[in-house]
Amino acid sequence: MHDKVQVKPPKRQFLSPDFVRAMLAGHSALGLAFAALIYIVCLTGTVSVFLMELQRWEQPDGPRVTETPSPEVIAAAVRAGYEQARADNAAHDLFVSAPPRTPQRIMVTYHDHESGVEGDWLADADGRLVTRVSAAWSEFISFLHMHLHLPRTWGKYLVGLTGVALLSSLISGILSHPRIFKDAFYLRWGGSRRLQEADLHNRLGVWGLPFHVVVTLSGALLGLSTLIVGVLALAAYDGDREKAFGTLFGPRATDSKTAAPVPDLAPMIRQVQEREPKAEVASVFVEHVGTAGQVVQLGMHMPGKIAFSETFHFRGDGKLLPDPTKAEAGPGRWILGAIQPLHFGWFGGLPVKVLYGVLGLALTIVTHSGVVIWLARRRDKGRPAPGWEKVWAVVGWSQPLAFGVTAIVALLIGEGRLVAIYLATIAAALVLALVMRDGTSTARALRVLSGLALLGAVATHAYLWWGRIADPMAWWVDAAIVAAALLIALPALKRRARSASLQQFPVAA
Amino acid sequence: MRELLSIELLGTLASTLLFFAGLALLRWRWLQRSSRLLTLAGWLLVGAGIYGYVYSWGGEAGTAYALLALSAVAFLVVWYGLERRVARVRPGREVALEPEDRPTNWPRAIAKSFLAFVLAGVAAVGIGVAFAIHMPLVPTDRIVIGGLLVPTLWGAGMAWTLSDAKLVRATLLLALISAAAYAAAFLPKMLSA
């Protein structure tokens, strides 16, 4: 006789299994189609959070500005920038950024749209231009993140589309996770690689979700801004481009070419500070500088705000211009101001940047583990894809290797051919994969090489700058790169006997 | 010393502890299947932590700091519960659903890509344009919120299109949505001209 077993009817799921399986199929297809692009954009985005620190690392003898610059210092930087721009025949638009926007630095940039000539300088605590900005590697990484070094417009569109694809993956990822709460704290390590990666993928994905959504949505909008916001603004204003952009960004300069004195910034800054005593200058943009039609956009940082600054528009003679957008204190204005700081984590000092770094890395791991899960699932089903396992190992681990190699080259010879060297490094990693046994050994070799390349970058930096480092940030960045190198390489150096946990694509137990 | 004990720092510490306590309760509840009241208590503590950040740093920066800190604390709590396995453990709840197995070919893949990347984008831009033209908001809000809607709807459309096995259904719906959105955006003006 058998005991009677009471079988409980299965609980009705909020999302039906068929729906979840369909979502998983879509999630998987999209993730695979965009995997490499999303991975590169996420990884370079994580590095870009520390762009200003990296710029200081690359030029550690640059002038530091540790006190909040006075209005007179900002005014002096504008005057000096204009003189230099005239000397370089590029006096068209002038931009000055100061702490807190650029920590411990005053940067002066000018640009002439017609000739394409531009200049970037660092100013000292008195507003004098001291040296040209020299940060080839930081620039290389930020351009890789923002437009993949493709022609600027198309590159931005492609990165924006990558953002849309990632946003779509987040949506389908959440919808294909019916046990989102029940499993929220599981992280099982060891045993089946597929389950381990799935746990990591889901936990990092779910608990980092607010961050993932914010950076993805803002990234998609930033990448596609000219397309989306431009089209929407034009549609809302019947194609009147000037009116549309005036509505969004306030008064613009006119095209008058009559010469006029460079605006004196100090009274403008004081005028704003009379109303907002705690406001600090974050940036100054003088559009059509030195002409009768020039307009000053004075960006004043307000404490407790996420936006870099609130913008005040002045005529060249110092008269405050009425800004029609000021009356509209709705969410649109807030979003416009906050979108860039929110995307890059540049709104709360170093602690927020560190958190952005951790969460950015989490998103990068989520992307990487998604493909690892797919490859492991294929193995589980008896349809391994060893070629793709090698390719994915190359995509994943050639990036830190290429970062290290390009950093060494940038430190030694400047801008040079960083894009070509970056691509050559990836190509060399692919060639290496051809002679390696499998994806696991490819990943292991590339991890070791990445660690060596990053340590090489630190050694090169120390060799070149020894005794001349004036900015302590350089030491912190060196330490962070060494830590990253060790984290990447050391697990790959563990003895083979213990390497089961390292295996990238083992057959499930 | 006075600066060290600022309201911001104290608020940050206290709120972060509230996050730890709240997430620990939620973890206990979801792993041990104990009283449902713990879920409520856990979320209340998390809510109190968010309020603490907002109180200390102001609504704008405080909310951003709170969400960042919540994610970081959650990662730590998950990491604390790391379960090391050396051998295969029994299946059961570990077995996740498999993606739907769909035979595919190049024409079908190209059609899907067109739907997800082009038609879903056209529909999303259409809705954004209609929003930017007609919503009773100030112009900046209409344009910027409409702008944010576009990637969100585009992403959602992409997710749905790629998960829907029926190509014709997806095509028809996206075409209908696009037509309706652009008609809503431009027809009133064309008719009144």
Side-chain angles (χ1 to χ4, degrees), chain A residues 463-475:
Chain A
Y463 171 73
L464 290 173
W465 290 102
W466 194 259
R468 293 187 295 140
I469 292 180
D471 190 339
M473 179 55 71
W475 295 115

Side-chain angles (χ1 to χ4, degrees), chain A residues 107-126:
Chain A
M107 291 178 75
V108 179
T109 305
Y110 44 83
H111 178 74
D112 184 3
H113 299 290
E114 284 175 17
S115 65
V117 179
E118 57 188 23
D120 303 283
W121 285 77
L122 293 176
D124 65 10
D126 294 323

Side-chain angles (χ1 to χ4, degrees), chain A residues 21-22 34 168 179 183 185-187 189-191 194-195 207 221 232 237-238 306 328 331-332 334 377 509, chain B residues 27 30 60 71 74 83-85 88 93-94 97-100 117 139-141 146-147 152 155 158-159 163 189:
Chain A
R21 277 159 41 82
F34 269 78
S168 177
R179 299 188 308 215
D183 289 350
F185 293 102
Y186 272 113
L187 182 58
W189 212 256
R194 180 179 151 196
L195 291 176
W207 283 113
L221 196 62
L232 265 54
Y237 286 95
D238 291 335
I306 289 198
E328 304 167 357
W334 183 86
R377 187 187 296 134
Chain B
R27 181 176 183 278
W30 287 329
E60 201 174 308
S71 291
E83 176 189 326
R84 287 193 180 276
R85 295 175 308 181
R88 185 177 181 149
R93 62 177 281 105
E94 292 203 21
L97 288 169
E98 290 284 330
E100 204 171 71
F117 294 104
T140 319
D141 290 356
T152 311
M158 210 180 260
S163 65
K189 201 168 279 184

Side-chain angles (χ1 to χ4, degrees), chain A residues 100 301 305-306 308 341 344-354 356, chain B residues 57 61 64-65 68:
Chain A
H301 179 70
K305 299 288 179 192
I306 289 198
F308 285 137
F344 287 104
W346 294 343
F347 60 88
L350 207 53
V352 168
K353 285 186 184 179
V354 170
Y356 258 67
Chain B
W57 295 96
Y65 296 161
L68 286 171

Side-chain angles (χ1 to χ4, degrees), chain B residues 79-169:
Chain B
W79 184 254
Y80 167 78
L82 177 77
E83 176 189 326
R84 287 193 180 276
R85 295 175 308 181
V86 284
R88 185 177 181 149
V89 290
R90 67 186 167 84
R93 62 177 281 105
E94 292 203 21
V95 178
L97 288 169
E98 290 284 330
E100 204 171 71
D101 212 4
R102 294 176 189 156
T104 191
N105 50 40
W106 278 108
R108 198 175 160 79
I110 290 167
K112 277 249 163 187
S113 305
F114 175 77
L115 285 180
F117 294 104
V118 181
L119 206 48
V122 169
V125 171
I127 295 170
V129 167
F131 189 97
I133 293 178
H134 293 302
M135 281 310 279
L137 298 168
V138 291
T140 319
D141 290 356
R142 282 190 273 139
I143 294 166
V144 175
I145 297 172
L148 275 180
L149 273 179
V150 173
T152 311
L153 294 174
W154 195 346
M158 210 180 260
W160 165 65
T161 313
L162 291 173
S163 65
D164 194 340
K166 294 196 168 97
L167 275 176
V168 178
R169 179 169 59 187

Side-chain angles (χ1 to χ4, degrees), chain A residues 129-165:
Chain A
L129 302 194
V130 175
T131 179
R132 285 187 188 266
V133 172
S134 168
W137 189 70
S138 315
E139 199 166 287
F140 165 76
I141 291 290
S142 69
F143 284 4
L144 185 57
H145 177 65
M146 289 189 292
H147 45 83
L148 300 165
H149 289 283
L150 295 170
R152 198 169 283 240
T153 310
W154 292 107
K156 276 184 81 173
Y157 285 164
L158 184 58
V159 172
L161 193 59
T162 306
V164 174

